[in-house]
Amino acid sequence: MKIQVKHIITLALILGVSYLATAGAPPPPPPPPGGGMTPPCWPPPCIPIDGGLSFLVAAAAIYGGKKLYDHQKK
């Protein structure tokens, strides 16, 4: 049983590291012709949800892993 928990933890770490490695932001788009300033999205205000969402996903994965561990422990 301890081996299964070690495998689950190892898999979770590998998936977490691979997610963090590929979750980089794309490069900014080139400026528009003529140098006009346009907002990055329309209509303003633009509300980013990237940072908080990744923390929420990580917390859910940790919580699910603990629940799985507690269930297997019984």
Side-chain angles (χ1 to χ4, degrees):
M1 178 142 123
K2 287 185 179 183
I3 294 174
Q4 290 176 346
V5 173
K6 287 183 182 179
H7 286 298
I8 291 171
I9 291 172
T10 303
L11 179 63
L13 287 174
I14 289 171
L15 290 174
V17 168
S18 65
Y19 170 75
L20 291 175
T22 59
M37 294 296 293
T38 59
C41 66
W42 191 256
C46 304
I47 302 172
I49 60 168
D50 182 36
L53 189 61
S54 60
F55 284 117
L56 183 63
V57 168
I62 291 170
Y63 181 71
K66 173 144 179 34
K67 285 292 197 178
L68 181 65
Y69 174 73
D70 289 344
H71 181 69
Q72 289 182 354
K73 195 174 179 183
K74 280 186 185 179

